[in-house]
């Protein structure tokens, strides 16, 4: 793995799945069965896809995130939870260099992606984003047809295959094909909120990224649409690694394999800096957290 | 027929003095609105009336002859229409790339600090009196641009006037289309970048199309302003009193506005001579209808932007 892996203009560098390591089909242990005190489930041997070391994020002189270190694994769903303003969105946007778009934002520390520092000098953020797709909190389809929404990413990446097939496949995987197959040329704005969000997921997976970042993808959706998207995430993790921000703890417990709990420290100066409190298997976080702060938050005694 | 007893009645009628006051305020504003509508209608009415007087006393064949010479009773409409449209065309050839380029730069590329001093400069440019630009057309644009492009061109030409009008219109095009591009939600740009689009791709494939109706509106407003511009063309286009039909932009030409100002201020020495002076209103009516049509069109485009987000 050269330092310049991400500076290639080709999109050939896919996920590095080590041979001989069988991945478990789903989560090994359910939340309920993990109530066994200290008996932590044995962690399956999996590759680290993001190695985050000493991540700190600033907006101007305001420090939003202090010193987060965590290893995010391939083909898992990693949830970032914590109270509002603790920097979940900020951390998520570090993974595909989305914070580059904010003039005042500054990122320190390293994020190794398949061993390459995505903040390295020669790294082109465009190449990073082609491999690491993003779904935003509010559905944000383009004011174009459903078809063109899906085709946008592949087109700009120079996709040579059959676009109709790709559009159908992406919509099918996002569980939206049946609802829109007869109105692909209609505006994406004619869809409901839940459909728009699934369209955005379909749009993100159409470019076959390696990782999907999702920022509270269900926050503007009703319970049924939420459930569909959760099912979809579990379905998608066979092919993708997913990092999801959620303020819904049940959702984190339902879908994620590992959970990172952040909180806000209020300094005497009034500065509110987010801090990673605990990062562990979801079962452990929800049933047997190491930190008291985590337990208080999980059980609703927060503060 | 139920035996339920109702609770005591409540008096929900408003207090009379307050209702009366509200009615009075309402009438006051309605009156102000009515006055402005009536004044506009009177202007249009007199325009139509005078134009009708002019047309009635005229041999209609003099509306389609060799040129615009009101003193000799030659009122060739195609001469002034062509002059007007040619100058507007030259102006838009200048203003479209400059205006849209400035808008794209300001809305998508400029850092906040650069914006902070570029935007006011644009506004200063919009405030340059057109007399100054007319003078600039004669003393700089003509010798340095037009005469280099064509060896037959003199000091006065439609090209020189058109380029100056283009400079005049550029800030308008830039500011209206910049507003349209900045109105495109940031979420759409993020969606595009999130899919691995470059900046140029995001601007051309997402921002520009999303702002298309606003950008169209800015161009239509630009045309409308170019057609209505008077001082620059009166000074630099060359034909003050009259002109032969002319489609060569390197020659002097006559526009509707320049013809009108010549008639009004009497620089063609015909003020007062009945039918020639009346032709001013006929041109005014034509001009009014053209700009009205263009502004209605641009309004429709702008409304389309609003519907979208
Ligand atoms: N673009 C920005 N500029 C300045 N401060 C920001 C910006 N975005 C977020 N912040 C601040 O950073 C902190 C973390 O925000 P965020 O990551 O959105 O939190 P969360 O997603 O956990 O609610 C908050 O205090 C917020 O006000
Ligand atoms: Mg957030």
């Amino acid at each position: 793995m050269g330092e310049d892996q991400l500076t290639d203009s080709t999109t050939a560098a896919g996920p590095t799945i080590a041979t001989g390591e069988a991945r478990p089909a789903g989560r090994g242990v359910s939340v309920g069965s993990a109530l066994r005190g200290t008996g932590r489930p044995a962690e399956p041997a999996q590759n680290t896809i993001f190695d985050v070391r000493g991540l700190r994020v600033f907006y101007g002189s305001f420090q939003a995130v202090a010193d987060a270190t965590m290893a995010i694994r391939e083909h898992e769903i990693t949830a970032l939870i914590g109270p509002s303003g603790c920097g979940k969105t900020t951390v998520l946007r570090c993974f595909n260099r989305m914070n580059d778009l904010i003039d005042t934002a500054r990122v320190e520390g390293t994020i190794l992606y398949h061993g390459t520092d995505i903040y390295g000098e020669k790294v082109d953020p465009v190449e990073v984003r082609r491999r690491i797709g993003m779904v935003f909190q509010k559905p944000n389809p383009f004011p174009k047809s459903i078809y063109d929404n899906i085709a946008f990413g592949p087109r700009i990446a120079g996709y040579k295959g059959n676009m109709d097939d790709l559009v159908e496949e992406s919509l099918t995987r996002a569980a939206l094909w049946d609802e829109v197959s007869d109105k692909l040329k209609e505006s994406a704005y004619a869809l409901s909120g839940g459909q728009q969000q699934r369209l955005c997921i379909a749009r993100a997976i159409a470019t076959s990224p390696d990782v999907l970042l999702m920022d509270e993808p269900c926050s503007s959706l009703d319970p049924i649409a939420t459930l569909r998207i959760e099912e979809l995430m579990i379905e998608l993790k066979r092919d993708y690694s997913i990092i999801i921000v959620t303020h819904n703890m049940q959702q984190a417990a339902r879908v994620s394999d590992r959970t990172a709990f952040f909180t806000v420290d209020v300094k005497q100066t009034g500065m509110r800096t987010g801090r990673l409190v605990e990062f562990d298997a979801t079962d452990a976080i929800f049933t047997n957290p190491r930190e008291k702060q985590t337990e208080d938050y999980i059980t609703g005694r927060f503060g | 027929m139920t035996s339920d007893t109702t609770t005591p009645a409540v008096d929900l009628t408003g207090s009379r003095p307050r209702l009366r006051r509200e009615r009075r305020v309402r009438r006051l504003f309605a009156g102000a609105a009515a006055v402005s509508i009536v004044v506009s209608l009177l202007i249009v009415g007199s325009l139509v009336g005078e134009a009708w007087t002019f047309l009635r006393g005229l041999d209609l064949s003099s509306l389609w002859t060799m040129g615009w010479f009101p003193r000799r009773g030659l009122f060739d409409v195609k001469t002034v229409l062509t002059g007007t449209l040619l100058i507007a065309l030259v102006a838009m050839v200048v203003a479209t790339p400059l205006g849209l380029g400035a808008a794209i730069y300001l809305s998508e590329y400029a850092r906040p600090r650069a914006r902070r001093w570029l935007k006011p400069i644009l506004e200063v440019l919009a405030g340059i009196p057109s007399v100054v630009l007319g003078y600039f057309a004669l003393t700089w644009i003509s010798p340095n641009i037009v005469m280099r492009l064509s060896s037959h061109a003199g000091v006065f030409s439609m090209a020189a006037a058109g380029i100056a009008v283009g400079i005049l219109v550029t800030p308008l095009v830039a500011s209206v289309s910049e507003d349209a591009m900045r109105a495109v939600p940031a979420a759409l740009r993020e969606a595009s970048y999130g899919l691995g689009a470059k900046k140029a791709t995001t601007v051309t494939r997402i921002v520009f199309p999303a702002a298309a109706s606003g950008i169209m509106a800015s161009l239509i407003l630009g045309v409308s302003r170019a057609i209505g511009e008077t001082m620059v063309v009166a000074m630099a286009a060359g034909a003050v009193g009259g002109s032969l039909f002319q489609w060569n932009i390197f020659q002097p030409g006559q526009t509707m506005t320049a013809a009108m100002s010549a008639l009004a201020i009497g620089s063609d020495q015909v003020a007062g001579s009945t039918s020639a002076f009346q032709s001013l209103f006929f041109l005014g009516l034509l001009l009014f209808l053209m700009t009205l049509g263009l502004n209605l069109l641009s309004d429709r485009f702008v409304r389309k932007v609003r519907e979208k987000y």
Side-chain angles (χ1 to χ4, degrees), chain B residues 37-151:
Chain B
I37 291 176
V38 167
V39 168
S40 309
L41 285 179
L42 284 177
I43 292 174
V44 174
S46 84
L47 215 52
V48 172
E50 298 278 1
W52 176 240
T53 321
F54 165 71
L55 286 176
R56 217 179 28 190
L58 195 74
D59 177 6
L60 286 184
S61 68
S62 66
L63 288 176
W64 202 266
T65 57
M66 48 192 286
W68 179 268
F69 295 98
R71 247 202 288 194
R72 294 184 217 156
L74 299 177
F75 303 99
D76 182 39
V77 181
K78 72 177 181 298
T79 299
V80 286
L81 263 181
T82 308
T84 299
L85 294 179
L86 276 178
I87 285 177
L89 183 75
V90 173
M92 292 319 285
V93 166
V94 172
T96 303
L98 285 182
L100 297 191
I104 290 175
Y105 177 74
L106 281 176
S107 131
E108 306 299 316
Y109 287 91
R111 308 215 143 237
R113 205 184 310 152
R115 259 184 66 80
R116 221 172 303 137
W117 59 269
L118 280 173
K119 204 61 192 184
I121 288 183
L122 203 66
E123 270 144 32
V124 167
L125 202 64
I128 294 179
S130 51
V131 182
V132 175
L133 267 166
Y135 189 69
F136 179 67
L138 292 177
T139 57
W140 198 88
I141 297 174
S142 231
N144 291 309
I145 300 178
V146 179
M147 288 177 176
R148 285 205 189 139
L149 287 174
S150 161
S151 52

Side-chain angles (χ1 to χ4, degrees), chain B residues 133-185:
Chain B
L133 267 166
Y135 189 69
F136 179 67
L138 292 177
T139 57
W140 198 88
I141 297 174
S142 231
N144 291 309
I145 300 178
V146 179
M147 288 177 176
R148 285 205 189 139
L149 287 174
S150 161
S151 52
H152 303 296
V155 176
F156 299 99
S157 67
M158 289 191 270
I163 292 169
V165 173
I167 294 170
L168 195 80
V169 166
T170 296
L172 176 69
V173 172
S175 100
V176 175
S177 53
E178 195 224 345
D179 285 347
M181 283 190 261
R182 285 173 74 81
V184 174

